[in-house]
């Protein structure tokens, strides 16, 4: 288990001995830890779900021991999964969110008046139920968004059954490729994603980190498969304090639109959306990759 109960050992710590810590291993010898109070735990048919409270990060929850969302930094992830694609194709009307049971991705999508429908398919109702109760910051959207249709089910089946060209934007807000998220990292799934996108369609998918070996391996596999199917397949990064190495990536894939050449910065700005992380400069900068990341992708 990832929860560790231990004495604070570093420096002249103000943390009293015996406090409870949540720890996530980034490598067998590297662990990120947050002092915590347990809030709720549930073992669903799909995964272990744990909610905690930490003074600095607020409420946070983990799936199978991996941090998913914290109150403090979720704005970064949710800005970055939604806004870049919306600034590339301002005509996006029909959106499909796969996963994202906390509601943060749906919340950001719902801010666009031009969006006509938001379909969302989440495999685990327990994530939604617990987020509604403990994380209204992200989950309140479920109770107030009339354009949103929530399906509890398997995203892989959902896309397999969806009609050709049915969506302008797919947001794959998945966990890591272990457990219920696994199918969302397969070539068959990406193939269906391609098929159900309109000609100006864009797919954004959670594509891991590029620093620790396990994350690198998963990033490489995902990127290779997406690039084999989509003519445009790029990676963009963002600073995520509670994910491994503090830096994380999304894949941007499309049938032709390019995230930089087709960036409609002025049109996006005119919408007047207030964002705490995303802006036009961040949009451009996020697609610039460090050499070691290019190396991971075989593009060095
Ligand atoms: N989705 C999971 C991001 C990856 C987390 N992985 C990790 N910590 N190893 C977050 C859901 C936000 N809506």
């Amino acid at each position: 288990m990832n929860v560790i109960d231990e004495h604070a050992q570093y420096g002249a710590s103000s943390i009293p001995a015996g406090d409870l810590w949540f720890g996530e291993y980034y490598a067998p010898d590297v662990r990120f830890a947050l002092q915590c109070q347990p809030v709720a735990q549930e073992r669903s048919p799909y995964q272990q779900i744990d909610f905690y409270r930490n003074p600095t990060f607020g409420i946070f929850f983990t799936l199978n021991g991996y941090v998913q969302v914290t109150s403090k930094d979720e704005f970064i992830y949710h800005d970055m999964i939604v806004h870049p694609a919306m600034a590339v194709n301002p005509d996006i009307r029909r959106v499909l969110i796969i996963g994202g049971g906390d509601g943060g991705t749906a919340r950001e999508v719902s801010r666009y008046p031009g969006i006509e429908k938001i379909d969302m398919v989440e495999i685990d109702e327990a994530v939604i139920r617990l987020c509604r109760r403990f994380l209204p910051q992200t989950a309140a959207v479920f109770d107030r968004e009339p354009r949103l249709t929530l399906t509890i089910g398997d995203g892989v089946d959902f896309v397999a059954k969806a009609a050709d060209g049915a969506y302008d934007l797919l947001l794959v807000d998945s966990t890591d490729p272990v457990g219920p998220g696994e199918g969302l990292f397969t070539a068959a799934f990406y193939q269906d994603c391609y098929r159900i996108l309109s000609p100006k369609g864009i797919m954004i998918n959670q594509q891991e980190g590029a620093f620790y070996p396990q994350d690198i391996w998963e990033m490489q596999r995902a990127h290779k498969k997406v690039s084999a199917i989509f003519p445009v397949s790029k990676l963009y990064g963002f600073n995520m304090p509670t994910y491994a190495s503090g830096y994380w990536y999304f894949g941007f894939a499309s049938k032709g639109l390019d995230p930089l050449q087709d960036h409609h910065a002025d049109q996006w700005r005119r919408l007047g959306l207030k964002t705490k992380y995303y802006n036009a400069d961040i949009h451009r900068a996020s697609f610039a990759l460090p050499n070691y990341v290019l190396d991971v992708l075989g593009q060095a």
Side-chain angles (χ1 to χ4, degrees):
M1 236 14 288
N2 269 335
V3 177
I4 47 184
D5 190 4
E6 63 177 16
H7 298 278
Q9 290 170 358
Y10 309 107
S13 176
S14 58
I15 297 161
D19 278 5
L20 189 67
W21 287 75
F22 164 82
E24 181 179 324
Y25 282 92
Y26 291 160
D29 59 341
V30 182
R31 187 173 59 192
F32 171 72
L34 294 167
Q35 190 186 22
C36 62
Q37 291 167 333
V39 169
Q41 306 196 307
E42 188 167 325
R43 176 134 210 118
S44 80
Y46 299 100
Q47 54 209 340
Q48 175 67 34
I49 309 168
D50 296 281
F51 279 71
Y52 306 98
R53 189 190 310 277
N54 166 276
T56 299
F57 282 92
I59 296 284
F60 67 99
F61 81 94
T62 66
L63 297 177
N64 290 339
Y66 292 103
V67 174
Q68 302 295 311
V69 171
T70 87
S71 304
K72 177 91 170 162
D73 67 359
E74 57 86 7
F75 74 94
I76 303 173
Y77 184 98
H78 295 124
D79 267 18
M80 289 304 279
I81 195 171
V82 172
H83 304 312
M86 294 303 298
V88 169
N89 178 5
D91 298 327
I92 288 170
R93 299 282 175 263
R94 302 160 303 165
V95 182
L96 173 61
I97 300 169
I98 296 159
D102 53 83
T105 298
R107 179 194 66 201
E108 290 308 308
V109 171
S110 76
R111 300 178 68 196
Y112 290 84
I115 300 255
E116 286 160 9
K117 75 163 178 171
I118 309 167
D119 289 342
M120 179 171 152
V121 50
E122 161 64 53
I123 202 163
D124 196 345
E125 68 69 35
V127 173
I128 295 174
R129 174 166 40 79
L130 291 166
C131 287
R132 271 189 153 125
R133 175 141 181 234
F134 299 109
L135 210 55
Q137 179 178 326
T138 53
V141 65
F142 296 130
D143 299 316
R144 62 164 163 74
E145 181 46 70
R147 293 166 296 177
L148 182 79
T149 307
L150 186 57
T151 303
I152 303 299
D154 187 344
V156 176
D157 292 345
F158 192 96
V159 297
K161 290 182 187 131
D164 294 3
Y167 295 98
D168 306 308
L169 177 62
L170 301 187
L171 299 170
V172 188
D173 188 4
S174 67
T175 53
D176 301 330
V178 279
E182 227 170 294
L184 305 179
F185 286 80
T186 59
F189 171 73
Y190 297 134
Q191 200 83 61
D192 275 319
C193 288
Y194 184 90
R195 184 182 57 74
I196 69 172
L197 275 176
S198 56
K200 283 177 75 189
I202 297 171
M203 176 181 85
I204 306 294
N205 72 324
Q206 194 279 102
Q207 224 169 103
E208 303 290 318
F211 193 83
Y212 293 103
Q214 186 61 36
D215 300 334
I216 290 175
W217 162 241
E218 289 165 356
M219 170 184 278
Q220 283 173 327
R221 285 195 311 159
H223 192 72
K224 207 179 270 173
K225 288 178 202 164
V226 174
S227 304
I229 294 164
F230 285 83
V232 176
S233 168
K234 305 253 162 96
L235 211 64
Y236 64 102
F238 50 99
N239 162 230
M240 195 58 197
T242 54
Y243 290 175
S245 87
Y247 218 78
W248 213 249
Y249 294 86
F250 287 122
F252 177 108
S254 81
K255 296 188 172 182
L257 291 183
D258 181 87
L260 299 178
Q261 278 157 33
D262 298 301
H263 178 202
H264 291 83
D266 291 337
Q267 209 172 330
W268 190 84
R269 202 177 291 117
R270 280 198 295 276
L271 290 168
L273 299 179
K274 290 254 170 308
T275 43
K276 260 204 302 181
Y277 189 86
Y278 178 79
N279 58 41
D281 288 338
I282 284 288
H283 181 111
R284 287 188 290 275
S286 67
F287 286 90
L289 304 176
N291 287 346
Y292 81 92
V293 180
L294 292 172
D295 198 36
V296 161
L297 300 180
Q299 295 169 9

